[in-house]
Amino acid sequence: MPNRGGLPPRNPRFVGRDDLLTRVRGLLGDGPVVLLPSPEQELGGTGRTQLAIEYAHRHADAYDLIWWIPAEQTAGTRASLAGLAQRLGVPEARDLNRTLGAVRDALSRGEPYRNWLIVFENANRPEDITPYLPSGAGHVLVTSRDPRWTAEVAQALPVPVFSRADSVDLLRSRGPELSAADADRIADRLDDVPMALDLAAAVRDATGRSAAAYLSDFDRRAAEATPIRVAWGLAAEALGAGVPGDRMLLELCTFLASAPISWRLLWAARTLPLEPELAGIVRVERRLRAAMRRISRYGLAELDPAGERLTVHPLIRGMFGQELSPERHEALQRTVRGMLAAADPGDPDDPAGWYRYAELAPHLIQSDLLGGDAEEVRQLVVNCVRYHFARGDYDSSRDLAGSAAARWRDALGESAEQTLLASFHLANALRAVGRTADARNLNLQTLRTQREVAGADDEATLTTANSVGGDLRIQGHFGQARQLDADNLVRYRRLFGEGYPTALRCANNLAADLRLLGDFRGARVLDEQVLRHRQAIFVDGHPEIVATRAGLAFDLFGLGDYAGAAEVLAARGADLPEDHIFALWAGRAAAMVARRRGDPSARALAEANLRVCRQRFGELSVDTLAAAVSAAHCARADGDLDHAHELLERAVTRYHAVLGDEHPFTLAASAGLAGMIRAAGRHAEARTIGEEVLGGLRRSVGADHPFALGCANGLAADLAAVGRAQQARELAADTLRRSRAVRGPDHPDTVACSWNLALTGGDDAARQQALDAFTKAYGDGHPVFRVTAAGHAVETEIDLPPL
């Protein structure tokens, strides 16, 4: 049996279509096939989905994998493909787009399955699924109502109505007592449309109505509408005549999407004001489940074998909707919106509740949830925005947030609380998809409005201010970020207390600012405070504790306390997946610490960290680039200068593209590249790069920043090597003076500056003093002594902390 995902059960009442199934099989060998309504039945109802289901089951033995994808909405398509990624063993990236691209590529390569069938159901916009269409030895089958499919994308195959023989077979399979002549008369009235025939058979089966009685009822309505609409009308009438509440329940379902609707979702309506007939059904689980079975029995929806979920065909939904008066439409829509809001599990960041949001999210459009006027309804929209973001579907998060912000701006005004909340989440999504300038501008605009309307101490205002701080860090404006986050922290602590979770996050952000500014002592004090509070709240191994330990390790690394950093990291636990962002930060710090301690495992740690970063975030992520810089330093320490140069050269190019030419991280990575060129003996070239980079760093972060000091230390060595001895001594002396003032005389990088200055001055006593200091800092046998024994300058590599 093939691996299966989402494939609906086989229809035991499927009849005929043998020629059509043979054509599908033949066409799939030449590329994707799209099943469309026939021209004479453009509304649908010709059985495209049933044909696709039957094909998948009939030819299951020919495939290693069959995956069914509900494609009515892009978010549903992407969620199903994410599930396929797990089945294929494709590593999950932080950005779902990367995961989906990897799914497409794995299918195209035939890894791990060569023969596969992917079915996109209700893909009514070709452009929505085109990016996900794989090639290779597998097959792609699509059902759609949209005629705009081109031959370059898929081969169109119109699905006609039944032949008369198939119509008669279907009717008689549901009603064996029906004569061939009566079946022929019913089929003639229904124009052989499969959905209409199925409805007729279901009504006769449920009511025991004779062929003559059914035809009489049909003729009574036939002048009013098309055959399929008449068949639907008779089914809806019969359903309502049995238990009136059943029809009302189905009317609610017409405001939901074609995705499966669970009884639990319908049950959420039990707390709402309802008509007595409907209330009597939804407030008792067994009655609700019985109503779902009756709706299915009349052919008006499909019920899954477990009796858990109803699926309503788009055509059925549309016909119900056309029957409603404006007042009835408004009342039902309000009830559905309330029902969806009542089913909101809350806390969209918690993966434990994602399966519930996966059920709710497809129904937002059909119910027009964005148009709801109740606050809890709009909050569900916001929570769905956040759910998409939390699971890495940034495109869906951005699209929904953008729609919400635009609708609410028009309906509620620019300064309404939930308009601003949607704008805040939109900025997050924009930043995540790389539109950092748009995110920054939107966040600033939102923050200004929130301060005017709600005040600077409002919790939502503070949350946006935190986000603005993140924007400033990404821009490289570390000082501005520190100023904003310090003000935020004062407000958080005054309003909520020092140990309040969001106050701790703000303190964590301020520590990151201080670390980026080179104030490792200040960052350490904050991180130690945050760690104590978080340990009192969470169990060890919780993501927020891991994040704080990683930050503290970077602080201690910056202070030159490599043993202390290693101790902090050793206590962090292993509860997080290796590709969690906080685990990756800790992993990068571990590789940096191992390198500085002379541990030969450093390179393997750094390369493993870089590999996972690439899988999780892609090549252009700032976390991947920082991991590449650290891996380059480890490769150099391991003697592999060529690989180190390659890593840094690529990282510098990408930093220029992602963060810009003047960003401190771009300049710091460029200083590292100059170090690789210096190690290759090309001092004149390294000097040119170093002088330009040092100027940029002094402008952006100041001459006393560790980035600038590391660059200046290397540049002094280049100046000495090209014969500029006096300039080299002056720069080396200035760098040592600044390093002593900023980092202290015993910091390993200060000791390296002392050694390098002694080299330029030829002072044996100063050299010995530096060697003694190295012994104190590193202990005997450290690799640094191989460098000093050869009379070479000691590099002070620049590693990059998290942004």
Side-chain angles (χ1 to χ4, degrees):
M1 294 293 292
N3 279 283
R4 296 180 180 181
L7 178 62
R10 193 171 192 174
N11 181 358
R13 298 189 298 270
F14 187 89
V15 298
R17 303 291 206 183
D18 290 337
D19 290 346
L20 203 53
L21 287 164
T22 300
R23 289 188 63 194
V24 170
R25 182 70 176 166
L27 288 172
L28 283 172
D30 297 324
V33 173
V34 56
L35 303 177
L36 297 169
S38 58
E40 68 275 8
Q41 193 64 32
E42 292 181 354
L43 284 177
T46 58
R48 288 162 291 126
T49 296
Q50 291 302 318
L51 185 69
I53 293 171
E54 177 63 19
Y55 175 85
H57 284 282
R58 187 172 296 192
H59 296 284
D61 291 344
Y63 298 105
D64 305 316
L65 169 78
I66 298 175
W67 204 262
W68 188 277
I69 299 174
E72 187 177 34
Q73 296 180 26
T74 304
T77 303
R78 293 162 65 82
S80 180
L81 286 167
L84 178 55
Q86 296 179 356
R87 186 67 58 90
L88 297 176
V90 170
E92 182 181 352
R94 188 179 185 184
D95 182 350
L96 187 60
N97 283 336
R98 295 192 60 251
T99 303
L100 303 190
V103 166
R104 180 196 58 224
D105 295 344
L107 290 170
S108 298
R109 292 192 306 269
E111 298 175 356
Y113 304 108
R114 176 172 173 77
N115 298 309
W116 41 260
L117 172 66
I118 308 298
V119 183
F120 292 90
E121 179 194 14
N122 282 334
N124 293 319
R125 285 164 43 94
E127 58 271 26
D128 286 345
I129 70 163
T130 300
Y132 311 125
L133 293 178
S135 55
H139 293 160
V140 175
L141 185 59
V142 183
T143 71
S144 177
R145 294 192 307 273
D146 191 326
R148 294 180 301 123
W149 294 83
T150 63
E152 290 77 15
V153 177
Q155 307 163 84
L157 179 60
V159 177
V161 299
F162 274 154
S163 68
R164 180 57 52 83
D166 287 346
S167 298
V168 170
D169 285 347
L170 184 146
L171 291 169
R172 297 191 72 192
S173 69
R174 295 285 298 271
E177 83 292 346
L178 190 66
S179 69
D182 284 342
D184 185 84
R185 281 194 290 272
I186 294 174
D188 184 63
R189 296 289 206 288
L190 297 176
D191 286 350
D192 297 302
V193 177
M195 179 179 282
L197 293 163
D198 194 63
L199 285 166
V203 168
R204 290 190 62 256
D205 182 46
T207 63
R209 194 173 302 178
S210 68
Y214 184 85
L215 288 170
S216 175
D217 289 339
F218 187 94
D219 291 340
R220 173 169 48 84
R221 290 170 165 256
E224 304 171 10
T226 61
I228 193 169
R229 187 168 184 84
V230 174
W232 162 82
L234 292 175
E237 180 184 83
L239 177 69
V243 180
D246 289 355
R247 174 165 179 151
M248 296 175 185
L249 182 66
L250 186 53
E251 286 176 341
L252 286 184
C253 293
T254 65
F255 288 85
L256 300 172
S258 293
I261 305 163
S262 76
W263 70 266
R264 290 180 178 83
L265 176 54
L266 298 169
W267 197 41
R270 66 190 183 279
T271 61
L272 304 173
L274 300 171
E275 297 163 282
E277 297 89 345
L278 181 58
I281 288 175
V282 301
R283 290 175 182 166
V284 179
E285 178 191 338
R286 60 180 174 79
R287 293 178 187 163
L288 176 58
R289 286 174 172 269
M292 292 169 66
R293 290 194 296 271
R294 288 192 295 269
I295 289 170
S296 173
R297 188 181 179 193
Y298 281 91
L300 291 163
E302 293 286 337
L303 185 65
D304 70 337
E308 297 274 327
R309 294 175 172 83
L310 277 178
T311 302
V312 185
H313 192 282
L315 198 52
I316 298 291
R317 290 200 327 250
M319 287 187 288
F320 265 108
Q322 292 169 10
E323 289 283 307
L324 300 175
S325 68
E327 295 77 18
R328 180 72 175 157
H329 184 282
E330 183 180 351
L332 286 170
Q333 189 173 57
R334 186 182 304 111
T335 298
V336 168
R337 289 168 175 168
M339 179 182 75
L340 292 168
D344 185 355
D347 195 5
D349 289 303
D350 183 0
W354 285 357
Y355 77 97
R356 296 177 67 185
Y357 280 111
E359 181 182 9
L360 292 171
H363 302 299
L364 267 61
I365 294 175
Q366 183 67 19
S367 64
D368 190 26
L369 210 68
L370 297 178
D373 53 7
E375 187 173 5
E376 63 271 19
V377 170
R378 292 194 290 269
Q379 186 60 48
L380 172 58
V381 176
V382 171
N383 285 351
C384 286
V385 168
R386 184 64 197 179
Y387 152 71
H388 287 310
F389 185 92
R391 64 185 299 275
D393 190 354
Y394 303 134
D395 284 351
S396 295
S397 181
R398 177 201 59 205
D399 292 346
L400 183 56
S403 297
R407 287 282 296 274
W408 297 345
R409 192 178 298 117
D410 291 341
L412 307 173
E414 283 197 17
S415 59
E417 179 183 0
Q418 286 176 314
T419 303
L420 295 170
L421 191 55
S423 298
F424 163 77
H425 285 292
L426 175 58
N428 278 347
L430 290 171
R431 185 193 302 123
V433 298
R435 292 170 55 182
T436 53
D438 292 338
R440 178 181 69 247
N441 293 336
L442 181 55
N443 262 333
L444 287 171
Q445 178 185 336
T446 302
L447 181 60
R448 280 195 299 269
T449 306
Q450 285 175 321
R451 283 175 169 169
E452 291 171 2
V453 173
D457 286 347
D458 180 76
E459 190 168 6
T461 304
L462 292 172
T463 301
T464 304
N466 272 337
S467 188
V468 171
D471 292 330
L472 291 169
R473 283 192 292 277
I474 290 173
Q475 290 176 268
H477 301 325
F478 305 145
Q480 293 178 38
R482 176 188 59 187
Q483 183 177 357
L484 178 62
D485 288 334
D487 177 72
N488 276 358
L489 184 57
V490 169
R491 296 176 187 277
Y492 265 120
R493 285 177 168 174
R494 185 181 72 245
L495 293 166
F496 305 109
E498 191 174 85
Y500 191 67
T502 48
L504 295 176
R505 293 188 191 110
C506 186
N508 191 79
N509 291 347
L510 180 57
D513 301 331
L514 295 174
R515 193 180 307 123
L516 289 164
L517 287 165
D519 183 0
F520 298 112
R521 292 183 182 85
R524 176 185 180 177
V525 170
L526 269 178
D527 279 327
E528 287 178 338
Q529 291 174 357
V530 171
L531 182 59
R532 284 195 299 271
H533 283 295
R534 284 180 167 170
Q535 285 176 322
I537 299 171
F538 305 117
V539 297
D540 222 18
H542 186 280
E544 297 200 23
I545 290 181
V546 174
T548 308
R549 287 193 180 280
L552 183 55
F554 278 102
D555 302 336
L556 294 168
F557 181 90
L559 291 169
D561 184 0
Y562 307 131
E567 184 179 348
V568 166
L569 291 168
R572 71 183 175 90
D575 292 345
L576 290 184
E578 68 168 0
D579 63 351
H580 193 287
I581 179 62
F582 299 154
L584 288 167
W585 287 354
R588 185 161 91 241
M592 291 160 47
V593 168
R595 185 188 79 242
R596 283 297 184 102
R597 301 183 79 189
D599 187 333
S601 69
R603 183 175 184 182
L605 290 173
E607 290 183 346
N609 185 260
L610 175 58
R611 181 176 61 255
V612 179
C613 279
R614 283 172 170 164
Q615 291 173 348
R616 188 82 169 93
F617 307 125
E619 295 284 357
L620 297 179
S621 161
V622 291
D623 289 296
T624 301
L625 296 177
V629 170
S630 292
H633 294 324
C634 289
R636 173 180 172 163
D638 197 42
D640 191 349
L641 189 61
D642 289 341
H643 184 57
H645 184 280
E646 179 186 350
L647 280 172
L648 265 174
E649 189 172 47
R650 190 181 300 127
V652 168
T653 299
R654 288 171 174 163
Y655 268 127
H656 278 287
V658 173
L659 295 179
D661 298 344
E662 295 297 316
H663 194 284
F665 276 28
T666 306
L667 296 168
S670 300
L673 181 59
M676 299 303 168
I677 295 171
R678 181 182 310 121
R682 291 149 50 198
H683 292 281
E685 184 181 346
R687 171 201 166 192
T688 301
I689 297 173
E691 288 177 337
E692 182 178 349
V693 168
L694 182 59
L697 285 170
R698 286 178 168 174
R699 288 190 301 273
S700 62
V701 291
D704 291 338
H705 192 281
F707 290 1
L709 295 176
C711 180
N713 184 53
L715 177 58
D718 292 325
L719 290 168
V722 297
R724 308 290 287 269
Q726 181 62 31
Q727 192 178 355
R729 280 192 296 273
E730 290 174 358
L731 180 58
D734 178 72
T735 304
L736 176 59
R737 177 182 59 80
R738 293 177 185 276
S739 187
R740 282 174 173 164
V742 173
R743 298 187 284 210
D746 297 328
H747 191 288
D749 286 350
T750 301
V751 177
C753 293
S754 299
W755 168 260
N756 291 353
L757 176 60
L759 286 182
T760 63
D763 187 331
D764 290 340
R767 294 185 193 184
Q768 187 57 50
Q769 188 177 6
L771 288 174
D772 292 342
F774 273 134
T775 301
K776 181 180 177 182
Y778 290 123
D780 293 328
H782 191 277
V784 72
F785 295 110
R786 292 199 296 268
V787 179
T788 57
H792 295 155
V794 175
E795 283 287 338
T796 50
E797 309 97 337
I798 303 172
D799 287 278
L800 303 170
L803 273 176

